[in-house]
Amino acid sequence: CNVMLKDVSLSVGSGNAISITSGSPTIQVEGDNTITTAGSGAGIYVEENSAVTIMGDSRDNDKLTVTGAYGSCGIGGYEIISSGRHYYVNCGDITIRQVTLSASSSDGRDMVHPGIGAAGDALCGTITIDDAIVYAYGGSSKYQDAPGIGAGVPYATSTSAIPTVVIKNNSIVHAYRGGTGQYKTDY
């Protein structure tokens, strides 16, 4: 499945704005696009054993801004709260190619999650950034600040929870830890 976003502004009140639940679709980006969820959920959720490729024709002209809500990732996994308990959903592979992408996790209640990657103690597949410009912002809570790209906080104490991140072909990556944004890593 291939989906074209051309100068789209998509905002949902609750849940994942876009859910990739099987296969390996491509989201083709043209122009300036925004995806936001205001309830609880990821901007773009990628189910475990699935993959998504988000790509444009030119990283200088094709842009996508994605924001997750209430501690869920902009792209990747999300958080479920049931009976006062937090549950995190594993996510699949994410490829970002020839596009300028900004991904943010909204500030959480107690836990926080990266702009791109796995929520809480969930697992994430490989994250590949190929000839792209990426700005990734982790969320913040009263307890923790999350990285821009990677695994959720504070449960990602096991190295198995940290996804493989591949950055290649002249990509430019700006990753910001949540909170004051003072912790910035450029690649």
Side-chain angles (χ1 to χ4, degrees), residues 12-117:
V12 299
S14 183
N16 301 317
I18 294 177
S19 291
I20 310 297
T21 58
S22 65
S24 54
T26 297
I27 298 174
Q28 181 73 36
V29 176
E30 187 177 318
D32 197 357
N33 301 272
T34 303
I35 298 171
T36 305
T37 182
S40 60
I44 300 174
Y45 165 60
V46 183
E47 187 172 295
E48 185 176 24
N49 299 318
S50 296
V52 67
T53 298
I54 300 166
M55 65 180 292
D57 289 327
S58 164
R59 70 184 198 181
D60 295 325
N61 298 320
D62 300 323
K63 298 174 176 61
L64 176 61
T65 301
V66 183
T67 304
Y70 296 118
S72 294
C73 300
I75 302 171
Y78 68 99
E79 172 183 32
I80 298 169
I81 299 175
S82 177
S83 301
R85 294 186 51 121
H86 298 256
Y87 301 94
Y88 306 99
V89 181
N90 291 341
C91 63
D93 297 331
I94 301 164
T95 299
I96 301 162
R97 182 177 296 132
Q98 294 179 314
V99 66
T100 295
L101 183 130
S102 177
S104 303
S105 171
S106 295
D107 291 342
R109 292 171 281 258
D110 295 327
M111 308 301 164
V112 293
H113 312 295
I116 303 170

Side-chain angles (χ1 to χ4, degrees), residues 138-159:
S140 183
S141 78
K142 60 185 174 183
Y143 302 114
Q144 301 287 331
D145 295 326
I149 300 172
V153 173
Y155 296 113
T157 56
S158 166
T159 56

